[in-house]
Amino acid sequence: MSQTMTPREIISELDRYIVGQNDAKRAVAIALRNRWRRQQVASPMREEITPKNILMIGPTGVGKTEIARRLARLANAPFIKIEATKFTEVGYVGRDVETIIRDLVDTAIKIVREEHLARVQTKAEKVAEDKLLDILIPHPVAPSGPHNSDASAASNESREKMRHKLRLGELDRRQVEIDVEPQQGAPMLQMLSGSGSDAIDLQDMLGNLMHKQKTKKRMDVADALKIIQQQEADRLLDQDAIKEEAIQRAENDGIVFLDEMDKITHRSGVQGGDVSREGVQRDLLPLVEGTTVNTRYGHIKTDHILFIASGAFHLAKPSDLIPELQGRFPIRVNLNALGEEEFRRILVEPESSLTRQYMALLDAENVRIEFGEDGISELARIAVVVNEKTENIGARRLHTLLERVLENISFEASDRSGDTVHVSAEYVREQLGEICEDEDLSRYIL
């Protein structure tokens, strides 16, 4: 997918995974299309067009995070989700909000690197084959005289036969000895280098030193081929080009999802913690307004990063945010609480719906699960009832209910190969009846 999709196409794609919430889908679809439109505008006007950040308002479990995550996947854009309350915790100081941008760039590097790896994979596979064949068939000393060409032809024929066997997997179990290079970005190196810019020189210095040290290892041909392919692919990558493209993608396509924004507001009539919460808002403000953050890959401008904030806003309201931050989230969308009909649709409509997931999982044990219409309706009804009696966690309640309903069959599946289980309303009530009737038990288990 790409940013060339029209808003209607974006909404249609989101509809495959998320039920309802059309206002929110419409807002993010426009925001994504505006990114493509901005790229069509000539400079210097292009630099003046900033994203219209979005504030999603709605209870937990109604799809706020999923909409943002799916949007990022559609655009193949760097995406990071962060809980705003993280920065009110003990041990955090103001400048730590910049880790949001550093993590976003790390995500961009990973995306771009994988794309570049895909481009060089075919060449890397060919080089790896040749290197492994050199190990399997050492080059003989070329004979002198008139028979030289005949020997060379025979050698090439033997090599191609061996290549054919290699591709068919006939040599997979043969043992070979290869040079293995240390993996870049090993855990200890990452720990030493940290996430800030202070460790750039240490990262490069230790990385280059480790890269030169090779060790010989003996292993199967199949494993050796994979390792050599990876090493050759890494060698073919242009690290500078990856870094440059990743920075550009983070700056122009990056999406930051700020969750729990309502929990860092100044609440009227509530004492305690206001200084900390308002401090986080003021620390976030430069990122949202547009600033430059120093990362290990270079300077990142945040002017054109799209920020999507969300919160339930039960005890607070958007106007409780500091005025400067309110102004940076001009688009407000309300997400509706989910009812019985929405729960029913969530169970069956999305391409990766929960019911399809469980059917696929148990199919691995050759056990077939059939969800009846009455069973789906009963699950939706109970989800609403439990959400009303206990904490309303939205669609997440369906995960708990389904896990409980299918607990016995999931446990016994390995002994019931070939069986078919019909999940009807009666079956659902049998599994959940006692729990749903006992409110205290329901609070504890569901």
Side-chain angles (χ1 to χ4, degrees):
M1 299 298 172
S2 71
Q3 291 183 10
T4 58
M5 295 173 69
T6 67
R8 291 185 191 280
E9 290 171 337
I10 294 167
I11 290 176
S12 176
E13 199 65 26
L14 291 174
D15 283 341
R16 293 171 56 195
Y17 307 99
I18 302 157
V19 169
Q21 312 301 3
N22 292 326
D23 289 346
K25 290 175 182 174
R26 188 181 179 93
V28 297
I30 293 171
L32 186 59
R33 183 62 174 181
N34 278 340
R35 295 197 142 186
W36 175 82
R37 290 166 178 160
R38 176 178 167 268
Q39 294 300 326
Q40 315 312 308
V41 177
S43 294
M45 178 65 76
R46 181 193 301 170
E47 283 67 41
E48 297 299 322
I49 300 174
T50 57
K52 304 302 182 285
N53 298 318
I54 301 167
L55 179 61
M56 294 185 181
I57 305 164
T60 185
V62 296
K64 300 188 294 293
T65 304
E66 191 62 17
I67 287 173
R69 183 181 288 118
R70 291 290 176 182
L71 183 75
R73 289 182 185 176
L74 285 180
N76 195 24
F79 172 84
I80 183 171
K81 176 193 173 185
I82 192 81
E83 280 77 28
T85 50
K86 170 182 177 180
F87 301 103
T88 63
E89 295 172 2
V90 175
Y92 280 89
V93 292
R95 71 183 182 88
D96 280 325
V97 297
E98 294 186 351
T99 60
I100 296 172
I101 305 304
R102 295 191 183 108
D103 289 345
L104 184 70
V105 179
D106 286 341
T107 301
I109 289 285
K110 182 179 179 181
I111 291 172
V112 174
R113 188 176 187 279
E114 288 176 352
E115 290 176 356
H116 282 235
L117 274 174
R119 295 174 197 166
V120 301
Q121 202 60 44
T122 301
K123 186 175 181 181
E125 289 173 1
K126 177 65 167 63
V127 175
E129 267 188 5
D130 288 334
K131 286 200 169 187
L132 198 52
L133 288 172
D134 288 341
I135 297 171
L136 292 167
I137 314 174
H139 288 294
V141 177
S144 57
H147 301 293
N148 185 21
S149 59
D150 293 339
S152 178
S155 176
N156 288 337
E157 183 179 352
S158 174
R159 186 179 178 88
E160 291 309 309
K161 285 182 179 179
M162 189 68 82
R163 188 191 301 276
H164 184 64
K165 289 183 177 181
L166 179 64
R167 290 177 176 175
L168 290 177
E170 295 178 7
L171 307 177
D172 283 357
R173 294 297 181 185
R174 184 178 294 193
Q175 291 277 302
V176 291
E177 190 176 73
I178 64 169
D179 291 326
V180 179
E181 299 170 355
Q183 288 187 347
Q184 296 185 17
M188 180 59 70
L189 181 59
Q190 290 180 348
M191 183 175 70
L192 287 169
S193 64
S195 61
S197 59
D198 298 337
I200 293 177
D201 293 337
L202 180 63
Q203 167 91 1
D204 294 340
M205 182 176 65
L206 290 180
N208 291 334
L209 180 63
M210 291 176 65
H211 189 69
K212 294 177 182 177
Q213 298 175 346
K214 297 180 181 180
T215 56
K216 286 191 176 295
K217 289 189 178 180
R218 194 163 186 80
M219 63 186 72
D220 291 343
V221 163
D223 295 331
L225 185 60
K226 291 177 184 176
I227 290 175
I228 297 174
Q229 283 176 1
Q230 184 60 54
Q231 291 178 171
E232 291 304 318
D234 287 339
R235 197 171 285 115
L236 289 168
L237 294 179
D238 184 338
Q239 301 297 339
D240 289 336
I242 290 174
K243 183 173 72 173
E244 184 179 342
E245 185 178 341
I247 289 174
Q248 189 273 332
R249 293 268 281 273
E251 288 183 336
N252 295 287
D253 301 334
I255 298 175
V256 172
F257 185 79
L258 293 168
D259 201 6
E260 299 183 337
M261 281 291 283
D262 55 320
K263 295 179 182 176
I264 60 167
T265 58
H266 175 94
R267 302 170 196 173
S268 303
V270 178
Q271 299 297 320
D274 285 342
V275 174
S276 173
R277 289 192 290 265
E278 185 171 317
V280 174
Q281 292 184 57
R282 295 202 177 278
D283 292 335
L284 288 170
L285 185 59
L287 298 187
V288 182
E289 283 185 326
T291 188
T292 300
V293 175
N294 193 18
T295 75
R296 70 176 63 178
Y297 304 107
H299 296 291
I300 305 295
K301 293 182 178 179
T302 68
D303 303 63
H304 300 289
I305 292 172
L306 176 64
F307 288 86
I308 302 176
S310 79
F313 288 95
H314 290 314
L315 302 175
K317 49 188 181 295
S319 58
D320 289 329
L321 293 165
I322 60 174
E324 300 92 330
L325 199 57
Q326 288 183 49
R328 290 295 170 175
F329 289 90
I331 301 176
R332 313 278 174 86
V333 290
N334 285 292
L335 284 85
N336 303 317
L338 302 174
E340 188 173 327
E341 175 60 19
E342 286 76 23
F343 284 143
R344 191 195 64 77
R345 293 177 60 198
I346 288 169
L347 283 168
V348 295
E349 287 187 11
E351 286 191 3
S352 301
S353 67
L354 285 175
T355 51
R356 288 193 176 101
Q357 290 178 32
Y358 277 98
M359 289 166 69
L361 283 172
L362 290 167
D363 187 56
E365 302 267 17
N366 195 30
V367 173
R368 185 179 178 187
I369 300 293
E370 295 178 345
F371 287 91
E373 284 292 330
D374 59 332
I376 294 293
S377 297
E378 185 66 8
L379 279 165
R381 184 190 70 79
I382 292 175
V384 172
V385 171
V386 176
N387 272 347
E388 289 174 349
K389 288 182 178 180
T390 62
E391 186 73 19
N392 188 346
I393 58 173
R396 294 186 180 93
R397 184 70 64 192
L398 295 172
H399 290 264
T400 309
L401 290 175
L402 265 174
E403 191 65 31
R404 192 75 190 181
V405 166
L406 298 175
E407 181 181 29
N408 289 333
I409 185 60
S410 293
F411 183 81
E412 300 166 357
S414 54
D415 302 319
R416 297 181 58 175
S417 178
D419 283 5
T420 298
V421 177
H422 185 72
V423 180
S424 62
E426 182 181 356
Y427 184 90
V428 171
R429 285 191 291 270
E430 285 177 2
Q431 306 302 316
L432 297 176
E434 182 183 354
I435 299 172
C436 292
E437 289 172 8
D438 187 330
E439 187 169 334
D440 290 334
L441 196 59
S442 178
R443 286 179 180 275
Y444 181 73
I445 294 178
L446 299 178

